[in-house]
Amino acid sequence: MSTIAVGNMTLPFYSANTVIVGAGAAAMNCALQLLKFRLQAGEKRPQDRLIVVTGGVKLGASRMSGSDKQTYYKMGTSPRISDTAEDFAKTLTAFGCCHGDNALIEGICSLRGFYNLVDVGVPFPHEPYGAFIGYKTDHDPYERATSAGPKTSKFMSECLQAQAKRLGLRVIDRQMVAKFITSGEGSGKRIVAMLCVDRSQTQKPNMGMSVFAARNWVLAAGGPGEIYRTTVYPRGQYGIHGAALEAGLEACNLTESQYGLASTKFRWNVSGTYMQVIPRIFSTNARGGDEREFLTEYFDDMPTMALNIFLKGYQWPFDAQRITNAQSSLVDMAVHQETVVRGRKVWMDFLRNPVGKVGWEEFNLQRLPNEALEYLQKTGAMQPLPIDRLAHMNKPAIEIYAENRIDLYKEPLEIAVCAQHHNGGFSVDKWWRSSISNTFVIGEMAGTHGVKRPGGSALNAGQVGALRAAEYISNMLFDEIPASPADLGDSVAKSVEQLQKLCAANSTAGTPKQALAEIADRMTRFGAHIRWRSGAEEALSQAKRQYFDINSAGLRVSSPRELPTAILAAQQCLTQVAMLKSIVGMLDRGAGSRGSHCILEESGAEMHPALIDPTDKKPYRFKPENVDLRNTILCTRFNPAAADLFELSDVSPRPIPNRQIAFEPAWTEFREKAIFRD
């Protein structure tokens, strides 16, 4: 480490060939693979030219969240179920807006990534003959899913980090990304440095700021989870989308996220066995009284209601195509109606079976439809109560709540429909290179998932993207030298000045916390699982106005300690504009309901007579999917001169490659590094 002078301040200056931003499972695997590649190439101390920079090693979705982070989706490993990488790719691309080459690579490299995790110590279970038996997850036609329990992604991150640490990996912690510093224009544009703020050092004369310079950047900081008020992302998971957008990276599929049922006191998805044990789901008023079995308004009988609760286990994401005709996502809409429209609280009770209304038969396991009954019989989960079935099938699912001071043996679990995962992100090619040279994007930040995806496929995508980025950097870019303090002095000074201006507002300006709350409320109301044109357009107008206000007048802060929050507010504000602009852009293109969101429209199909839109007191009606748009990916790029700050463009998904090549020429391509050329 050296220093760089900025005015009367002295900032720490770190230099490396490659900087990886983030410390989750994707980031740590990229670091590990890059070190291994360089050691295999004969380099003695590759760790001296690599740095992992993170806002919190023990924070983030990989370490602290459930659902997708419990399930690992890979090529099939069950001994009697055949699978191919091409079939895997077809599953990932089935619902559109997904590049076929990325999907095929995720299939081809999935077992390489999975067995690497096994080797570093992730306790994926296998049977006596060594087979890793799979199970079905949502949108999964095969038994490709596996799990190491509720803490799967946490185990992944920790085991990968431990292995990388043995190889000397440097991790600089508590660094919040404030700004990427770029040079050049057009195809010659590059990120040359990154300005960060250490939250614990803001009272120092340099306000806790540090500078990192590198030739290569791997962005792996997760999704923009806290952009929503109702979210199951871990607290503090803001991501760095705003900084990346401002730097010029092209984004794609920003309209596509996943939403579903999750607990709110301790943020955790209630998917899988939580639903498959078929607990009672009921509501109360805000004070906890006036209990109601509200699901009975939406289903005709006990077996149908119980089946759909069960199906939420592996049909967990809210799905616009599973609402009508008493399907499983009607449960999500019923919870939305109860919480958002009626202002009540919804609970899962594992101490009681579902309760029907007068005239219904009582809950009886033997009367369940075959799909649920056969599963419970096969797993031996025929105990009388949901809590006993859960303890039999997945005891760690109970323990994870106990660790967070929630005893499922004594109390119900409050739930809501929450934002869970961003399927969109930043555009990448087959090596996970972004639209800016020498910058790679992996993990949830990479927009590789399309409209729908199998549960757990995000973990596989993160591991594969990490491997691909590391392999490319090691073979093509690891000899490049980063910029020096002398090269960066003026650009760093300009960036520092912008941050100081952000916090120089007068007493009439809003505070950073007020700005963040406004953004979260707006996105939850207009940019989540229920959307409509007039609402999206008004939200975009409000978001732009907020962005211009923040950039012209700044935010009101009372001490330097609020600098990180002010930076977050500015970044989240730009991110919400990008997301809302993309939503409006898709509506302009004739988009209907798809993936995990519904587009409301008066001429659309009725969801259910009991689902009442509070704006007109009529049943919700939603527009069907425009399937033609599956063949178009909407891309979004920041342009401060544009009317809405962003320019939109359409690209066709790249097809699944069908390349036939004999071994000898393939070997030649590999030896001569032709595989890395476009």
Side-chain angles (χ1 to χ4, degrees):
M1 184 191 77
S2 59
T3 59
I4 183 171
V6 178
N8 60 356
M9 295 188 296
T10 300
L11 278 56
F13 184 90
Y14 299 87
S15 179
N17 169 271
T18 300
V19 167
I20 299 173
V21 184
M28 286 302 175
N29 189 42
C30 188
L32 174 60
Q33 297 298 337
L34 185 51
L35 291 173
K36 288 168 63 177
F37 280 131
R38 295 311 303 165
L39 288 168
Q40 291 166 6
E43 186 169 348
K44 291 186 177 180
R45 292 190 58 83
Q47 65 268 32
D48 293 341
R49 300 199 291 141
L50 170 66
I51 302 175
V52 167
V53 180
T54 176
V57 169
K58 296 183 179 181
L59 304 179
S62 287
R63 311 270 178 154
M64 302 172 66
S65 65
S67 188
D68 256 22
K69 312 306 180 185
Q70 303 173 39
T71 299
Y72 194 94
Y73 189 79
K74 55 174 177 40
M75 284 269 291
T77 52
S78 295
R80 285 169 294 279
I81 298 178
S82 60
D83 200 359
T84 70
E86 186 173 354
D87 287 336
F88 190 99
K90 288 178 179 177
T91 300
L92 296 188
T93 59
F95 296 97
C97 302
C98 179
H99 288 302
D101 53 357
N102 292 119
L104 184 66
I105 291 165
E106 288 176 20
I108 291 170
C109 296
S110 73
L111 293 184
R112 188 175 174 187
F114 174 69
Y115 288 121
N116 174 64
L117 293 171
V118 173
D119 289 343
V120 298
V122 180
F124 288 113
H126 62 76
E127 47 89 82
Y129 300 101
F132 292 88
I133 303 299
Y135 60 88
K136 277 192 174 185
T137 182
D138 42 276
H139 309 308
D140 173 23
Y142 295 82
E143 293 180 357
R144 291 176 175 143
T146 187
S147 176
K151 299 179 181 178
T152 297
S153 64
K154 184 174 187 289
F155 293 151
M156 289 168 57
S157 303
E158 291 173 345
C159 291
L160 290 164
Q161 181 184 352
Q163 187 68 14
K165 187 176 180 180
R166 295 184 189 103
L167 300 182
L169 176 66
R170 287 185 294 166
V171 178
I172 311 297
D173 202 0
R174 298 194 304 272
Q175 300 292 321
M176 192 192 81
V177 176
K179 192 175 185 65
F180 289 112
I181 298 169
T182 62
S183 69
E185 297 294 337
S187 60
K189 189 174 189 178
R190 286 190 177 189
I191 296 174
V192 294
M194 176 175 70
L195 181 63
C196 291
V197 174
D198 185 334
R199 292 173 177 271
S200 67
Q201 303 295 320
T202 54
Q203 296 289 66
K204 288 188 173 182
N206 63 12
M207 302 174 70
M209 290 185 283
S210 299
V211 177
F212 295 83
R215 291 296 286 175
N216 307 308
W217 302 85
V218 182
L219 309 187
E226 292 276 52
I227 204 165
Y228 297 98
R229 174 172 46 81
T230 308
T231 175
V232 71
Y233 282 85
R235 300 184 192 283
Q237 175 60 47
Y238 289 95
I240 58 171
H241 284 56
L245 288 165
E246 189 179 42
L249 271 74
E250 179 185 84
C252 65
N253 285 337
L254 291 184
T255 55
E256 308 306 318
S257 288
Q258 282 190 177
Y259 310 90
L261 297 175
S263 57
T264 55
K265 182 179 177 182
F266 165 56
R267 294 182 177 183
W268 201 257
N269 285 5
V270 287
S271 58
T273 46
Y274 291 113
M275 289 295 186
Q276 288 164 334
V277 300
I278 317 178
R280 175 195 180 208
I281 299 178
F282 69 100
S283 73
T284 67
N285 60 27
R287 297 180 302 278
D290 185 29
E291 292 186 8
R292 294 181 189 173
E293 312 301 328
F294 69 97
L295 286 182
T296 61
E297 298 178 48
Y298 304 94
F299 297 99
D300 292 336
D301 53 58
M302 176 60 74
T304 303
M305 184 176 79
L307 172 64
N308 280 284
I309 294 172
F310 169 86
L311 289 174
K312 290 309 299 178
Y314 54 83
Q315 294 179 1
W316 177 83
F318 173 69
D319 188 336
Q321 296 173 339
R322 285 179 171 152
I323 300 174
T324 58
N325 301 317
Q327 296 184 81
S328 61
S329 283
L330 183 56
V331 175
D332 302 78
M333 281 304 304
V335 172
H336 170 87
Q337 186 82 356
E338 205 72 2
T339 55
V340 176
V341 178
R342 297 175 178 172
R344 293 172 61 81
K345 294 184 176 183
V346 172
W347 309 82
M348 293 174 70
D349 182 2
F350 292 92
L351 302 180
R352 296 183 65 184
N353 290 308
V355 177
K357 60 184 176 183
V358 176
W360 280 20
E361 62 182 287
E362 291 189 2
F363 176 83
N364 184 338
L365 286 173
Q366 297 295 338
R367 290 276 295 135
L368 289 172
N370 286 340
E371 184 170 1
L373 178 59
E374 290 175 3
Y375 180 89
L376 294 175
Q377 288 175 333
K378 182 179 178 180
T379 56
M382 297 295 288
Q383 292 77 14
L385 295 177
I387 190 67
D388 298 322
R389 297 192 284 271
L390 186 59
H392 170 77
M393 283 203 290
N394 189 358
K395 191 173 182 180
I398 300 172
E399 293 169 348
I400 192 74
Y401 278 100
E403 291 171 8
N404 290 275
R405 298 184 295 279
I406 298 174
D407 188 348
L408 298 185
Y409 284 98
K410 295 181 179 179
E411 59 186 302
L413 194 62
E414 186 177 359
I415 63 172
V417 181
C418 298
Q420 182 261 350
H421 187 276
H422 196 201
N423 283 2
F426 292 91
S427 302
V428 296
D429 69 2
K430 64 184 178 183
W431 291 103
W432 271 250
R433 295 178 295 182
S434 75
S435 59
I436 290 184
S437 296
N438 293 60
T439 298
F440 299 74
V441 185
I442 62 175
E444 190 175 340
M445 281 192 72
T448 61
H449 298 302
V451 174
K452 291 184 189 178
R453 58 181 181 78
S457 62
L459 288 183
N460 175 67
Q463 295 301 287
V464 171
L467 171 67
R468 296 285 286 183
E471 187 173 6
Y472 191 94
I473 292 170
S474 175
N475 281 276
M476 303 299 288
L477 303 173
F478 209 65
D479 292 330
E480 299 187 8
I481 306 300
S484 67
D487 299 326
L488 296 171
D490 291 343
S491 55
V492 171
K494 182 179 179 181
S495 296
V496 170
E497 182 182 348
Q498 290 172 342
L499 295 189
Q500 291 171 329
K501 179 183 175 184
L502 178 65
C503 299
N506 58 40
S507 60
T508 62
T511 67
K513 287 185 178 180
Q514 288 172 337
L516 287 170
E518 180 182 334
I519 293 165
D521 286 344
R522 182 179 297 120
M523 287 300 299
T524 292
R525 184 178 179 191
F526 299 109
H529 61 292
I530 303 294
R531 304 171 185 176
W532 64 100
R533 174 176 283 280
S534 62
E537 290 174 340
E538 176 59 24
L540 175 59
S541 176
Q542 293 172 1
K544 285 190 301 179
R545 186 160 54 248
Q546 184 185 28
Y547 175 82
F548 288 126
D549 287 346
I550 289 174
N551 279 270
S552 61
L555 292 162
R556 176 163 46 92
V557 301
S558 57
S559 79
R561 287 193 179 93
E562 292 187 74
L563 172 62
T565 311
I567 294 169
L568 282 177
Q571 292 181 359
Q572 292 291 88
C573 191
L574 185 61
T575 303
Q576 68 157 343
V577 175
M579 294 175 74
L580 291 168
K581 172 64 176 178
S582 299
I583 290 172
V584 172
M586 285 301 296
L587 293 172
D588 289 340
R589 287 158 172 77
S593 306
R594 70 180 191 181
S596 202
H597 65 264
C598 282
I599 303 298
L600 301 183
E601 187 175 81
E602 288 185 6
S603 61
E606 183 179 286
M607 290 186 186
H608 189 281
L611 290 173
I612 303 300
D613 187 338
T615 60
D616 60 10
K617 309 303 181 184
K618 297 178 181 178
Y620 283 114
R621 307 187 78 89
F622 67 110
K623 184 178 180 180
E625 180 186 6
N626 180 348
V627 294
D628 290 340
L629 290 176
R630 293 184 180 187
N631 299 315
T632 298
I633 294 175
L634 183 66
C635 297
T636 308
R637 194 185 291 262
F638 180 57
N639 178 1
D644 293 326
L645 298 172
F646 287 91
E647 295 177 340
L648 303 181
S649 60
D650 301 288
V651 300
S652 298
R654 300 186 296 269
I656 297 173
N658 184 25
R659 188 171 187 249
Q660 305 294 325
I661 186 170
F663 173 78
E664 287 77 7
W667 187 19
T668 300
E669 285 184 348
F670 178 78
R671 293 197 320 270
E672 297 177 355
K673 296 189 177 183
I675 62 172
F676 300 106
R677 300 181 196 130
D678 294 329

